[in-house]
Amino acid sequence: MTTPDIAWPRRTERLELRLPTAESLDEVMVWRNDPDVTRWLIRTVVEPEAFRSAWLASVADPTDHAAVVHLDGTAIGIASVEVRDGLGQREGDEPWHGVEGSLGYTFAPAYAGKGLATEVASALLDLAFDELGLLRVTAGCFAANTASWRVMEKLGMRREQHGVRDSWHAELGWIDGYTYGILAEEWAARSFGR
Ligand SMILES: CC(C)(COP(=O)(O)OP(=O)(O)OC[C@H]1O[C@@H](n2cnc3c(N)ncnc32)[C@H](O)[C@@H]1OP(=O)(O)O)[C@@H](O)C(=O)NCCC(=O)NCCS
């Protein structure tokens, strides 16, 4: 896969998105396994060394655009867009190859509710559509993770799937999940109004 050169760090109004480093990931580990963070994650408690290795490996992975989010120099979040294939018939030019992005974000609890995840996710949608040229971006969450799907709705993403008891939660058992999506043209149309 050929990937355009992506310039890092990237600034948003209040934040800086930087490529992960061992030092910044150590800072992230201070809050990453906090129960308020892990409650609605699929990868709940992470082993620090494996977490660090995976995020450092993303730097050389052309399909994984992962960043540590800094506020005034402090690592307060992690976020990523992973590029993957869309659905499609395995014939001809295979235009579905590498056209979808999967969006993810996780923030330190002390910084919740200030619009920071929305600010970062917006910057990653700009990256996904304007620089990576993706067709669609999707993101999933537990239906009970209101803060997460509120972020997606504020960005203009559409709830495309409500999976009834399709998601396993370690404490709650089988509960509902949502998938949200947005197309490049929808994001562009929305951007003009900003
Ligand atoms: C989900 C998460 C990224 C949101 O980050 P954030 O910076 O607080 O998000 P924002 O402030 O941009 O937006 C959150 C929205 O949800 C709302 N919200 C938060 N908790 C809520 C709740 N329990 N009920 C209703 N609304 C809630 C906020 O009021 C805000 O909406 P508003 O701007 O309309 O008021 C953050 O809480 C987090 O990292 N959680 C732990 C990890 C996680 O769940 N990651 C996502 C996995 S899918």
Side-chain angles (χ1 to χ4, degrees), residues 10-29:
R10 308 172 74 82
R11 285 235 33 113
T12 67
E13 197 185 329
R14 292 171 287 179
L15 302 165
E16 191 165 73
L17 280 62
R18 301 182 192 160
L19 288 177
T21 63
E23 294 71 29
S24 64
L25 294 167
D26 283 346
E27 273 191 72
V28 170
M29 275 313 305

Side-chain angles (χ1 to χ4, degrees), residues 161-180:
Q161 186 235 13
H162 176 168
V164 177
R165 297 185 70 207
D166 70 344
S167 306
W168 175 255
H169 189 279
E171 287 166 24
L172 303 173
W174 289 107
I175 59 174
D176 292 5
Y178 291 152
T179 306
Y180 279 75

Side-chain angles (χ1 to χ4, degrees), residues 14 31 36-42 103-109 111-119 139-142 144-152 154:
R14 292 171 287 179
W31 49 264
D36 284 338
V37 175
T38 60
R39 179 164 299 120
W40 300 117
L41 291 177
I42 295 294
L103 176 66
Y105 37 72
T106 293
F107 282 74
Y111 298 89
K114 302 175 194 296
L116 297 176
T118 306
E119 191 171 314
C141 66
F142 288 109
N145 192 354
T146 309
S148 183
W149 60 257
R150 280 292 304 145
V151 168
M152 298 190 244
K154 286 192 288 178

